[in-house]
Amino acid sequence: MRTALVYHEDMTAARLLWEDPECEIERPERLTAALRRLQQGGLEQRCLQLAPREASEAELGLVHSPEYVSLLRGTQALDTQELRALSGQYDAVYFHPSTFHCARLAVGAALQLVDAVLMGAVHNGLALVRPPGHHSQRAAANGFCVFNNVAIAARHAQQKHGLQRILIVDWDVHHGQGIQYIFEDDPSVLYFSWHRYEHGRFWPYLRESDADAVGQGKGRGFTVNLPWNQVGMGNADYLAAFLHVLLPVAFEGGYHLESLSQSVCMVVRALLGDPVPPLSGPMEPHRSALESIQSVRAAQAPHWTSLQQQGSAPTPRPGTCSADGRTSLVLPGGPTFKAAEAQASAVLSSLLGQLHLHPTPPVRTAVALTVPDAALGLPPAVLHQEGSAPQEETRAWARLHEALAQDTAFTALGKVLHLLKGILDGQVSSGVATTPAAAAMLDVALRCSLSHRAQRVLCVAVGQLDRPPDLANDGRTLWLDIRGKEAAALSPFHVSMPLPGTTGAFLSCVLALVLPLAYGFRPDLVLMVLGPAQGLQEPHAALLAALLRGPAGGRVLVLVEQEPTSQLAGILARVLHGDAPPSLGPFSTAPPEDTQALLYLRGQLEAQWKMLQCCDPVP
């Protein structure tokens, strides 16, 4: 199995033994509700079950002081009154006689998962644990967190497995200041956190949770905080943060039970490689989100070349006071907090609703090869398609292009039409087809899609592939050319860009242009075509295909100009099936001409496509 799940029922033993409105939200049901949802969705059964162990005290000592570990060990013998008195010495913490055991299991679960992934037993996994950990510090519990599970797991990965660079992405309504403190001077760990901040009015009320906290000493630039200063951030805001902050930096160098359980299900689906539903809501980030993103980019630009190349500008910081001039604090459990929880739950319910409207197709990935190739090394679950469209239908489409009437091309056309219909009818999620005459095949695939079920089709054409001159410019097709010509925005729906010459230029092109356009367009289908003289390195092509799964909910068809000796079709099929793309190799910066071309295109298109505005100053 490719995905592991780590859980132990003993982690539900600790519970609050006295009345405390602030702490009552951290309760065993946080785990049981999430596990129940995984079971109801059939996801638990698809994962490899790993039994956690207790972390040793030596492993706890990778992050925590011996005195603190000893203090926590002693809680096992305390009575309720003593536990309450000790808990009162910390911020938003309660202890139980089982806390030490539960917390050691939580750490051990994280370590078991790290070992399983790094030793190749699984590809990825989820540790379902409590108590949580990201607020815990070297010698202090904080915010329901006892031992810092993630920080210990990172140190364990470095010491046992020899990892040199680790990225921690902390997605929580609260800032994980414990992780930040532990690694703030360490350039081997890049810590990224997006969290509700409200200009310092939201717990934990820390100045160092803001965007200009970037680390200390050698670790400057390796702490990245994205503070949300407004309630109600949606899909467009998080997507903008991914594309314009997290992914550029990463490539270069919940207490609401319903929403928590839904989030866990969505994460496991993604880890299993299932296509996720398309994002809902308008693809236009809030002004407050743009301000936060630009503040982060401005603070981090001195440390990251990729952020310098896309342009970055500081923005004025709004006042932090309420209308009457007094600073107002947003407290957990208050009406504003509960309203935000309800909104988050509604968003996740919408996503799960879309899963019912767009269930996972029976076939995740299929390949249609002109010449069968047993050497591609495809996973067993990838379908080698043998079927073809009816001869009469194939012949009708072949009449559009003389090149498709020839025997090999005609056979390939029938297979492509059959695979395309499977994707559009919901029987296949994604596919790869090798073909001669890629330009003609793309034209037919596009017209067939628009006449069948697709309302909007995104075409990403790499190589010598011209847009059909009679293709209507009606907003149903977004055509992106990537090849060695000049940058040109011929219309909002026809964009041509030079072929990126370096890894840095490629990543900037994809993250700052291709994906913002793709998500803003919200296609029903993505057609990616690698035509003659396409020029992309195999790892670049694989990453592009993997990232294009998102905008259309996994519905991607990749057409590859037939190359008898190439293994590219197999690599593309594996990444569409959910495997990780090959390594891009060393990061190399974009040359000035590529950067200028990118900035020119963004300037031409941002009025139409709001997702492109995230790197520019807010008026």
Side-chain angles (χ1 to χ4, degrees), residues 17 150 210 254 302 333 398 436 480 515 574:
L17 298 177
V150 171
D210 208 352
L480 305 181
L515 290 181
R574 287 193 290 274

Side-chain angles (χ1 to χ4, degrees), residues 184-515:
E184 61 186 350
D185 60 354
D186 185 349
S188 70
V189 177
L190 173 59
Y191 174 64
F192 176 91
S193 173
W194 42 25
H195 45 268
R196 188 171 167 189
Y197 185 58
E198 298 276 320
H199 303 294
R201 294 179 290 118
F202 192 72
W203 193 91
Y205 319 119
L206 297 174
R207 178 68 183 82
E208 54 266 37
S209 302
D210 208 352
D212 56 2
V214 299
Q216 298 182 6
K218 293 182 179 180
R220 288 185 63 81
F222 292 90
T223 293
V224 183
N225 284 319
L226 177 52
W228 293 134
N229 290 315
Q230 174 182 312
V231 178
M233 297 302 173
N235 287 329
D237 306 301
Y238 281 98
L239 180 61
F242 263 117
L243 298 180
H244 299 298
V245 179
L246 175 56
L247 291 182
V249 170
F251 275 115
E252 185 180 350
Y255 300 111
H256 187 284
L257 294 183
E258 183 66 13
S259 62
L260 176 66
S261 62
Q262 292 169 348
S263 300
V264 169
C265 282
M266 296 301 293
V267 168
V268 173
R269 285 183 183 276
L271 291 174
L272 286 164
D274 291 356
V276 296
L279 297 179
S280 59
M283 285 294 107
E284 180 174 357
H286 290 85
R287 176 190 171 92
S288 177
L290 295 179
E291 292 173 343
S292 294
I293 289 170
Q294 290 163 12
S295 294
V296 176
R297 290 176 61 86
Q300 295 291 338
H303 311 289
W304 299 98
T305 304
S306 56
L307 298 183
Q308 297 166 12
Q309 292 173 340
Q310 295 179 19
S312 181
T315 55
R317 184 178 303 282
T320 61
C321 294
S322 57
D324 60 2
R326 294 178 299 175
T327 299
S328 57
L329 298 179
V330 181
L331 300 174
T336 308
F337 184 88
K338 290 179 178 178
E341 283 185 328
Q343 183 176 26
S345 180
V347 170
L348 286 162
S349 295
S350 173
L351 280 173
L352 288 173
Q354 289 189 60
L355 285 173
H356 293 294
L357 293 173
H358 305 282
T360 301
V363 177
R364 185 187 296 173
T365 310
V367 294
L369 305 178
T370 308
V371 179
D373 188 349
L376 290 181
L378 297 178
V382 173
L383 175 68
H384 285 261
Q385 178 190 278
E386 300 294 338
S388 183
Q391 287 276 324
E392 185 175 334
E393 179 185 359
T394 305
R395 195 171 295 112
W397 285 109
R399 293 191 188 103
L400 296 178
H401 295 277
E402 184 177 345
L404 297 178
Q406 302 176 16
D407 289 347
T408 302
F410 185 83
T411 300
L413 175 60
K415 291 188 174 184
V416 168
L417 291 172
H418 185 70
L419 178 54
L420 180 61
K421 293 290 183 64
I423 294 173
L424 294 173
D425 290 339
Q427 298 304 304
V428 180
S429 177
S430 61
V432 178
T434 57
T435 175
M441 198 70 70
L442 171 58
D443 181 41
V444 169
L446 176 57
R447 297 177 191 276
C448 179
S449 303
L450 293 173
S451 67
H452 192 61
R453 289 176 180 266
Q455 296 300 311
R456 293 181 301 278
V457 179
L458 168 63
C459 294
V460 180
V462 186
Q464 297 176 3
L465 298 164
D466 291 325
R467 183 179 184 270
D470 59 341
L471 185 63
N473 201 16
D474 56 3
R476 294 186 65 195
T477 303
L478 174 58
W479 186 284
L480 305 181
D481 275 320
I482 304 178
R483 54 180 171 175
K485 291 188 176 182
E486 293 183 0
L490 303 173
S491 82
F493 299 96
H494 182 193
V495 181
S496 181
M497 63 204 76
L499 181 70
T502 65
T503 297
F506 168 75
L507 290 173
S508 292
C509 175
V510 172
L511 300 180
L513 187 67
V514 174
L515 290 181

Side-chain angles (χ1 to χ4, degrees), residues 72-135:
L72 267 294
R73 187 193 319 116
T75 60
Q76 300 174 100
L78 299 182
D79 60 29
T80 300
Q81 185 175 355
E82 292 169 323
L83 288 167
R84 186 171 187 176
L86 180 61
S87 302
Q89 298 178 25
Y90 300 99
D91 184 8
V93 169
Y94 70 85
F95 294 115
H96 180 279
S98 297
T99 292
F100 188 62
H101 173 57
C102 292
R104 289 178 65 188
L105 274 178
V107 174
L111 302 185
Q112 290 281 84
L113 187 54
V114 166
D115 289 341
V117 171
L118 294 180
M119 295 173 69
V122 294
H123 290 176
N124 53 47
L126 174 74
L128 196 58
V129 304
R130 73 181 279 271
H134 71 155
H135 298 304

